[in-house]
Amino acid sequence: MSQSASVLIVDDEPNILRALRRLLRSETFRVLTTSSGEEALEILADEPVNVVVSDSKMPGMDGAELLSRVQASYPDCIRILLTGHHDLEAVTRAINEGHIYHYIAKPWHDDDLCFILRQAIAFNQSERERKRLEALTQAQNDELKRFNSELEARVDARTAELSEIANQLDSAHETLKHSYVTTTRVFSSLINMRLPERHQTNSQITQVIKGFLQVHPVEEGLRYDLLMAASLYNLGKLSWDDHLLGLSSEKMFGDDRERYQKYPETAGELLMALEPLHGAAKLIRHHQERWNGSGFPNHLKAEAIPWGARLLRLSVDFIELQRGLMLNRNVSRDNALMLLEKLAGRVYDPMLSRELVTFLHDHAPDMGIIDASVMALSTDKLEPGMILLRDLHSKAGHLLLNEGRELTAGLIDKLISFESTESIRYTLLVRLPDEEALIEDETET
């Protein structure tokens, strides 16, 4: 992390500012503090700031207004809201008006707050680098166009050189795209940090949908919306009290039941503030609708329910049944499949239910298509050159390695060392190097 990075903390309570200064004094970034939104804007006008952390309730300019003005004048500055557990209105305003990166509930957990700030600074710096690369790419594109117009007469002689430049631009674009996807996965892992371990279902649901779409492909836009929805479908649960997070939906009554039924709508409204996630927001909003019209929040029926929302509902229920999040017990995989079939025509789209159940009968519940080159291995059996096929998270929900990463001897040694330190064992879904897969195929033949 850069030594020049800085965090500005805004809170009208001196004891809060003193507590945060003490907590963050060992961090590598610089900490600035002030007690009002007006003073914060003056500081921002005088010097660069990477992250602004603002209390939600302050006299005069409140946190939502301050972060909205920061977003308008300093859009590259990461914005974080510090708020009470039940202040959902302030959180919603800050997201809609200030486009905040995160919100932190009072009282905070010291380790979580420090981690969020480090991640925010890292994200800010990666976004700056991304924009620098985009500007470089645009400049190279402009230069390429100028060369094409000026050197038209010598096209044949310069074909090889132009081809090499085009390859470099493609590589830069792929690097930027990969960086954006990785950032989204980190955000999903931050959601998991708020949820109990058995509620951290995003990864398994994503793998079910990803595998199903390999057999039943859809257009790329819908595929993107489905995968984003699978990663963020439980965003609306972040405002729940801890006791509600520990209940299965079967055990929720009265006010608890009412709050449970609002989580898809809450997540959909939050994500509608982000234009690239409008499609995913619609799928999340309607993924608890029922085929017979008895679902929520809008009691949509049959084909009126978006197809992607129907698939998301089936995938969510398949995993959550096995985790004990729906009934007050863990349901076996076979019984979960039986329930998807039994409730087809009432809760689920009957045709889509049959297709998904057929797929899940033939494949692992949380993996895609398995072939001879794909294996689930412990760390002591990993070899350099293998490709990771599923994101690897720590026990705390942090992203350790992202899907598509090629394993090296150094990475494998670090994983083994990490296991020893954390007293945990990992099993990784990997694809063998091409030559090993060919040898295995020939042996089976």
Side-chain angles (χ1 to χ4, degrees):
M1 187 177 293
S2 173
Q3 292 286 341
S4 63
S6 60
V7 173
L8 172 60
I9 301 173
V10 188
D11 199 300
D12 62 318
E13 296 184 35
N15 59 324
I16 295 292
L17 294 179
R18 286 193 296 270
L20 289 173
R21 276 196 294 265
R22 286 195 301 270
L23 173 63
L24 301 174
R25 62 189 174 190
S26 62
E27 297 293 334
T28 59
F29 50 80
R30 189 163 60 110
V31 177
L32 308 171
T33 60
T34 184
S35 60
S36 72
E38 292 78 8
E39 292 177 359
L41 293 175
E42 292 178 4
I43 292 174
L44 287 166
D46 291 336
E47 59 186 292
V49 173
N50 297 80
V51 179
V52 173
V53 180
S54 175
D55 184 33
S56 62
K57 292 187 178 299
M58 296 186 295
M61 186 187 304
D62 65 10
E65 181 183 354
L66 170 61
L67 296 182
S68 177
R69 293 178 64 173
V70 172
Q71 193 274 333
S73 301
Y74 311 96
D76 291 338
C77 184
I78 298 297
R79 298 164 295 282
I80 296 176
L81 187 70
L82 190 62
T83 182
H85 275 300
H86 302 287
D87 199 3
L88 181 58
E89 180 180 352
V91 174
T92 303
R93 280 186 59 212
I95 290 176
N96 290 338
E97 298 174 11
H99 301 278
I100 64 171
Y101 170 81
H102 204 90
Y103 79 89
I104 301 171
K106 294 180 180 178
W108 63 79
H109 188 283
D110 288 352
D111 290 342
D112 289 348
L113 187 144
C114 292
F115 176 78
I116 289 169
L117 290 181
R118 293 188 208 110
Q119 288 293 312
I121 290 175
F123 178 77
N124 175 265
Q125 294 174 337
S126 71
E127 280 295 286
R128 291 184 179 183
E129 177 65 9
R130 179 182 66 80
K131 290 180 180 180
R132 185 189 71 81
L133 289 174
E134 285 181 340
L136 175 61
T137 300
Q138 184 60 49
Q140 289 176 330
N141 277 327
D142 294 342
E143 185 71 2
L144 181 59
K145 291 177 182 178
R146 188 178 68 83
F147 270 111
N148 283 337
S149 61
E150 294 178 356
L151 304 177
E152 199 169 1
R154 293 179 286 170
V155 168
D156 291 341
R158 303 296 297 270
T159 297
E161 179 182 352
L162 294 177
S163 178
E164 179 62 22
I165 293 175
N167 289 338
Q168 292 176 2
L169 294 176
D170 288 341
S171 177
H173 176 74
E174 286 301 315
T175 300
L176 292 173
K177 182 178 178 181
H178 182 71
S179 176
Y180 176 79
V181 172
T182 300
T183 301
T184 303
R185 288 172 179 156
V186 169
F187 180 67
S188 181
S189 72
L190 289 175
I191 294 176
N192 283 339
M193 290 177 63
R194 173 71 177 90
L195 302 175
E197 185 175 357
R198 71 189 180 101
H199 287 242
Q200 298 174 13
T201 55
N202 310 63
S203 177
Q204 288 72 31
I205 293 168
T206 298
Q207 291 303 322
V208 168
I209 291 176
K210 187 180 293 185
F212 180 77
L213 294 182
Q214 289 181 7
V215 178
H216 302 274
V218 297
E219 57 94 8
E220 187 59 31
L222 177 56
R223 183 179 186 276
Y224 172 84
D225 289 342
L226 273 164
L227 295 180
M228 291 299 99
S231 295
L232 303 171
Y233 85 97
N234 50 3
L235 177 65
K237 297 179 181 179
L238 293 184
S239 63
W240 287 4
D241 298 332
D242 289 344
H243 89 278
L244 195 59
L245 290 175
L247 293 178
S248 64
S249 58
E250 181 185 41
K251 290 293 185 180
M252 295 180 185
F253 303 100
D255 292 341
D256 288 344
R257 187 69 182 176
E258 184 177 344
R259 292 191 66 187
Y260 168 75
Q261 292 183 341
K262 287 183 178 179
Y263 91 85
E265 188 175 3
T266 300
E269 290 174 352
L270 293 176
L271 293 177
M272 284 300 291
L274 305 173
E275 185 174 350
L277 294 178
H278 281 185
K282 183 177 180 181
L283 301 186
I284 293 172
R285 178 186 177 88
H286 296 298
H287 83 276
Q288 286 293 340
E289 305 284 2
R290 293 186 173 190
W291 188 254
N292 63 6
S294 64
F296 53 86
N298 298 120
H299 305 292
L300 299 184
K301 185 176 182 180
E303 300 290 343
I305 307 170
W307 184 90
R310 288 177 252 159
L311 177 59
L312 180 61
R313 173 66 185 269
L314 282 160
S315 304
V316 167
D317 286 5
F318 174 68
I319 296 299
E320 289 196 350
L321 279 166
Q322 296 178 74
R323 293 291 186 91
L325 305 187
M326 297 179 65
L327 304 178
N328 200 34
R329 65 185 186 281
N330 290 354
V331 176
S332 70
R333 177 178 180 272
D334 289 340
N335 285 340
L337 292 174
M338 181 188 68
L339 284 172
L340 296 189
E341 292 180 306
K342 181 179 180 180
L343 296 176
R346 286 185 290 165
V347 177
Y348 310 118
D349 176 343
M351 180 178 296
L352 186 56
S353 177
R354 284 195 298 272
E355 291 174 346
L356 182 65
V357 169
T358 299
F359 166 77
L360 292 171
H361 271 306
D362 297 334
H363 301 90
D366 61 346
M367 300 177 186
I369 304 303
I370 306 300
D371 58 34
S373 66
V374 175
M375 300 184 70
L377 300 176
S378 57
T379 53
D380 59 343
K381 293 183 173 59
L382 298 175
E383 296 182 6
M386 292 180 174
I387 305 298
L388 188 64
L389 296 185
R390 185 171 57 193
D391 290 346
L392 180 65
H393 294 82
S394 70
K395 187 176 181 181
H398 304 157
L399 180 66
L400 298 179
L401 294 174
N402 57 282
E403 172 187 331
R405 186 71 175 269
E406 180 176 345
L407 300 180
T408 64
L411 274 177
I412 295 169
D413 289 340
K414 287 181 180 179
L415 281 175
I416 294 173
S417 175
F418 187 83
E419 285 183 329
S420 175
T421 302
E422 298 295 322
S423 299
I424 192 171
R425 295 286 291 173
Y426 292 113
T427 299
L428 287 74
L429 186 68
V430 297
R431 186 181 298 279
L432 303 179
D434 290 343
E435 58 270 24
E436 291 189 33
L438 289 174
I439 293 172
E440 186 169 339
D441 287 341
E442 290 175 359
T443 302
E444 292 181 355
T445 303

